[in-house]
Amino acid sequence: MELRLAAESDVPQIARLYDLARASLRDAGVPQWQDGYPNGEDALGDIRAGHGYVLTENGRVAAFACLAFGVEPTYNIIEDGAWLGEGEYGFLHRVAVDPALKGRGAAGIFFSELKRQAKERGIKIIRGDTHRLNLPMQRVMAKNSLELRGVIHVEDGSERLAYECILE
């Protein structure tokens, strides 16, 4: 697998990944992403902002994620816990992996890249969130040294489990 910045020409393949992820979540009984978000337009926004990354295999887009730095407004209020770190942080959003790659460490590659970029920027905090029923992503967070810190609410008001890692 090869990691690279996503290009606008990747959007149709990314939109397909989102459709596959939506179906997988639905089949697992997870209501996350069932309203059409994220979609190709969201991916295009990430790409244009320089935050969109793809993993390719044999020239095909096999996974996509938004890797960003700064402040995620939905992280400003955390309930049932607290953030450990203060200041700028990196965060990973809208991760979609082709079902054919599941179990091969694709999400971990995105987290490794986010940590690498954070260290280059002198940033010591990584954050992420996922739906309470999205057990695979919870395992990915734990496997990548992110600890459950509490609950946040996304734009539509629904809750997400919030995770954080303080880099050494």
Side-chain angles (χ1 to χ4, degrees), residues 2 30-31 43 48 54 74 77 83 86 91 108 130 157 160:
E2 180 181 316
V30 180
R48 288 181 175 163
V54 292
T74 62
I77 298 173
W83 298 118
E86 293 183 14
F91 53 95
T130 193
R160 297 290 183 266

PDB file of all heavy atoms in Angstrom, residues 2 30-31 43 48 54 74 77 83 86 91 108 130 157 160:
ATOM      1  N   GLU A   2       0.427   2.236  -0.705  1.00  0.00           N
ATOM      2  CA  GLU A   2       1.168   3.489  -0.800  1.00  0.00           C
ATOM      3  C   GLU A   2       0.284   4.636  -0.331  1.00  0.00           C
ATOM      4  O   GLU A   2      -0.879   4.740  -0.734  1.00  0.00           O
ATOM      5  CB  GLU A   2       1.590   3.718  -2.245  1.00  0.00           C
ATOM      6  CG  GLU A   2       2.356   4.996  -2.455  1.00  0.00           C
ATOM      7  CD  GLU A   2       2.731   5.199  -3.923  1.00  0.00           C
ATOM      8  OE1 GLU A   2       3.177   4.227  -4.551  1.00  0.00           O
ATOM      9  OE2 GLU A   2       2.568   6.327  -4.404  1.00  0.00           O
ATOM     10  N   VAL A  30     -24.870  -0.001  13.012  1.00  0.00           N
ATOM     11  CA  VAL A  30     -24.307   1.283  13.448  1.00  0.00           C
ATOM     12  C   VAL A  30     -24.974   2.396  12.638  1.00  0.00           C
ATOM     13  O   VAL A  30     -24.863   2.419  11.415  1.00  0.00           O
ATOM     14  CB  VAL A  30     -22.775   1.315  13.233  1.00  0.00           C
ATOM     15  CG1 VAL A  30     -22.200   2.659  13.685  1.00  0.00           C
ATOM     16  CG2 VAL A  30     -22.105   0.157  13.950  1.00  0.00           C
ATOM     17  N   PRO A  31     -25.675   3.327  13.311  1.00  0.00           N
ATOM     18  CA  PRO A  31     -26.371   4.387  12.575  1.00  0.00           C
ATOM     19  C   PRO A  31     -25.465   5.489  12.019  1.00  0.00           C
ATOM     20  O   PRO A  31     -25.925   6.374  11.301  1.00  0.00           O
ATOM     21  CB  PRO A  31     -27.344   4.958  13.613  1.00  0.00           C
ATOM     22  CG  PRO A  31     -26.727   4.642  14.935  1.00  0.00           C
ATOM     23  CD  PRO A  31     -25.961   3.356  14.740  1.00  0.00           C
ATOM     24  N   ALA A  43     -15.167  14.834   0.633  1.00  0.00           N
ATOM     25  CA  ALA A  43     -13.805  14.432   0.267  1.00  0.00           C
ATOM     26  C   ALA A  43     -13.135  15.537  -0.556  1.00  0.00           C
ATOM     27  O   ALA A  43     -11.962  15.855  -0.329  1.00  0.00           O
ATOM     28  CB  ALA A  43     -13.826  13.127  -0.510  1.00  0.00           C
ATOM     29  N   ARG A  48      -9.118  19.778  -1.304  1.00  0.00           N
ATOM     30  CA  ARG A  48      -8.797  21.177  -1.610  1.00  0.00           C
ATOM     31  C   ARG A  48      -8.133  21.891  -0.440  1.00  0.00           C
ATOM     32  O   ARG A  48      -7.346  22.807  -0.634  1.00  0.00           O
ATOM     33  CB  ARG A  48     -10.055  21.913  -2.059  1.00  0.00           C
ATOM     34  CG  ARG A  48     -10.490  21.476  -3.447  1.00  0.00           C
ATOM     35  CD  ARG A  48     -11.708  22.189  -3.934  1.00  0.00           C
ATOM     36  NE  ARG A  48     -12.005  21.814  -5.310  1.00  0.00           N
ATOM     37  CZ  ARG A  48     -13.163  22.006  -5.896  1.00  0.00           C
ATOM     38  NH1 ARG A  48     -14.158  22.594  -5.238  1.00  0.00           N
ATOM     39  NH2 ARG A  48     -13.350  21.634  -7.149  1.00  0.00           N
ATOM     40  N   VAL A  54      -4.984   9.358   0.566  1.00  0.00           N
ATOM     41  CA  VAL A  54      -5.442   8.049   0.116  1.00  0.00           C
ATOM     42  C   VAL A  54      -4.338   7.023   0.297  1.00  0.00           C
ATOM     43  O   VAL A  54      -3.149   7.348   0.259  1.00  0.00           O
ATOM     44  CB  VAL A  54      -5.895   8.048  -1.374  1.00  0.00           C
ATOM     45  CG1 VAL A  54      -7.159   8.858  -1.560  1.00  0.00           C
ATOM     46  CG2 VAL A  54      -4.798   8.529  -2.289  1.00  0.00           C
ATOM     47  N   THR A  74     -16.089  20.673  17.283  1.00  0.00           N
ATOM     48  CA  THR A  74     -16.891  19.725  18.058  1.00  0.00           C
ATOM     49  C   THR A  74     -16.126  19.160  19.247  1.00  0.00           C
ATOM     50  O   THR A  74     -16.721  18.524  20.121  1.00  0.00           O
ATOM     51  CB  THR A  74     -17.418  18.579  17.180  1.00  0.00           C
ATOM     52  OG1 THR A  74     -16.321  17.850  16.639  1.00  0.00           O
ATOM     53  CG2 THR A  74     -18.296  19.091  16.059  1.00  0.00           C
ATOM     54  N   ILE A  77     -16.151  21.053  23.621  1.00  0.00           N
ATOM     55  CA  ILE A  77     -16.864  20.631  24.834  1.00  0.00           C
ATOM     56  C   ILE A  77     -16.804  19.121  24.918  1.00  0.00           C
ATOM     57  O   ILE A  77     -17.230  18.424  23.990  1.00  0.00           O
ATOM     58  CB  ILE A  77     -18.335  21.108  24.811  1.00  0.00           C
ATOM     59  CG1 ILE A  77     -18.385  22.634  24.766  1.00  0.00           C
ATOM     60  CG2 ILE A  77     -19.086  20.560  26.020  1.00  0.00           C
ATOM     61  CD1 ILE A  77     -19.775  23.199  24.564  1.00  0.00           C
ATOM     62  N   TRP A  83     -10.061  16.290  28.244  1.00  0.00           N
ATOM     63  CA  TRP A  83      -8.853  16.169  27.441  1.00  0.00           C
ATOM     64  C   TRP A  83      -7.648  16.302  28.361  1.00  0.00           C
ATOM     65  O   TRP A  83      -7.677  17.044  29.337  1.00  0.00           O
ATOM     66  CB  TRP A  83      -8.796  17.266  26.383  1.00  0.00           C
ATOM     67  CG  TRP A  83      -9.900  17.242  25.377  1.00  0.00           C
ATOM     68  CD1 TRP A  83     -10.837  18.221  25.173  1.00  0.00           C
ATOM     69  CD2 TRP A  83     -10.186  16.227  24.413  1.00  0.00           C
ATOM     70  NE1 TRP A  83     -11.678  17.863  24.154  1.00  0.00           N
ATOM     71  CE2 TRP A  83     -11.309  16.636  23.664  1.00  0.00           C
ATOM     72  CE3 TRP A  83      -9.618  14.993  24.113  1.00  0.00           C
ATOM     73  CZ2 TRP A  83     -11.851  15.882  22.638  1.00  0.00           C
ATOM     74  CZ3 TRP A  83     -10.169  14.225  23.090  1.00  0.00           C
ATOM     75  CH2 TRP A  83     -11.262  14.674  22.366  1.00  0.00           C
ATOM     76  N   GLU A  86      -3.437  20.412  25.970  1.00  0.00           N
ATOM     77  CA  GLU A  86      -3.943  21.729  25.619  1.00  0.00           C
ATOM     78  C   GLU A  86      -3.167  22.251  24.428  1.00  0.00           C
ATOM     79  O   GLU A  86      -1.997  21.955  24.265  1.00  0.00           O
ATOM     80  CB  GLU A  86      -3.784  22.697  26.796  1.00  0.00           C
ATOM     81  CG  GLU A  86      -4.648  22.358  27.983  1.00  0.00           C
ATOM     82  CD  GLU A  86      -4.503  23.389  29.106  1.00  0.00           C
ATOM     83  OE1 GLU A  86      -3.949  24.477  28.865  1.00  0.00           O
ATOM     84  OE2 GLU A  86      -4.949  23.075  30.216  1.00  0.00           O
ATOM     85  N   PHE A  91      -5.907  15.663  14.095  1.00  0.00           N
ATOM     86  CA  PHE A  91      -7.076  14.801  14.197  1.00  0.00           C
ATOM     87  C   PHE A  91      -7.344  14.102  12.875  1.00  0.00           C
ATOM     88  O   PHE A  91      -6.963  14.587  11.808  1.00  0.00           O
ATOM     89  CB  PHE A  91      -8.312  15.556  14.691  1.00  0.00           C
ATOM     90  CG  PHE A  91      -8.647  16.805  13.921  1.00  0.00           C
ATOM     91  CD1 PHE A  91      -9.569  16.787  12.896  1.00  0.00           C
ATOM     92  CD2 PHE A  91      -8.031  18.011  14.242  1.00  0.00           C
ATOM     93  CE1 PHE A  91      -9.886  17.949  12.191  1.00  0.00           C
ATOM     94  CE2 PHE A  91      -8.338  19.178  13.542  1.00  0.00           C
ATOM     95  CZ  PHE A  91      -9.270  19.140  12.512  1.00  0.00           C
ATOM     96  N   GLY A 108      -4.395   2.123  10.599  1.00  0.00           N
ATOM     97  CA  GLY A 108      -3.164   2.333  11.357  1.00  0.00           C
ATOM     98  C   GLY A 108      -2.133   3.128  10.582  1.00  0.00           C
ATOM     99  O   GLY A 108      -1.388   3.921  11.165  1.00  0.00           O
ATOM    100  N   THR A 130     -15.376   8.511  17.397  1.00  0.00           N
ATOM    101  CA  THR A 130     -16.158   7.539  16.648  1.00  0.00           C
ATOM    102  C   THR A 130     -17.473   7.264  17.363  1.00  0.00           C
ATOM    103  O   THR A 130     -17.633   7.604  18.540  1.00  0.00           O
ATOM    104  CB  THR A 130     -15.375   6.230  16.414  1.00  0.00           C
ATOM    105  OG1 THR A 130     -16.059   5.454  15.431  1.00  0.00           O
ATOM    106  CG2 THR A 130     -15.219   5.422  17.692  1.00  0.00           C
ATOM    107  N   GLY A 157     -25.657  16.990  16.665  1.00  0.00           N
ATOM    108  CA  GLY A 157     -26.022  16.770  18.055  1.00  0.00           C
ATOM    109  C   GLY A 157     -25.795  15.355  18.555  1.00  0.00           C
ATOM    110  O   GLY A 157     -25.894  15.097  19.762  1.00  0.00           O
ATOM    111  N   ARG A 160     -20.398  11.167  20.170  1.00  0.00           N
ATOM    112  CA  ARG A 160     -19.278  10.350  19.713  1.00  0.00           C
ATOM    113  C   ARG A 160     -18.337  10.133  20.882  1.00  0.00           C
ATOM    114  O   ARG A 160     -18.165  11.017  21.723  1.00  0.00           O
ATOM    115  CB  ARG A 160     -18.508  11.029  18.570  1.00  0.00           C
ATOM    116  CG  ARG A 160     -19.298  11.249  17.295  1.00  0.00           C
ATOM    117  CD  ARG A 160     -19.595   9.942  16.584  1.00  0.00           C
ATOM    118  NE  ARG A 160     -20.297  10.147  15.333  1.00  0.00           N
ATOM    119  CZ  ARG A 160     -21.606  10.122  15.182  1.00  0.00           C
ATOM    120  NH1 ARG A 160     -22.390   9.926  16.215  1.00  0.00           N
ATOM    121  NH2 ARG A 160     -22.155  10.293  14.001  1.00  0.00           N
TER     122      ARG A 160
END
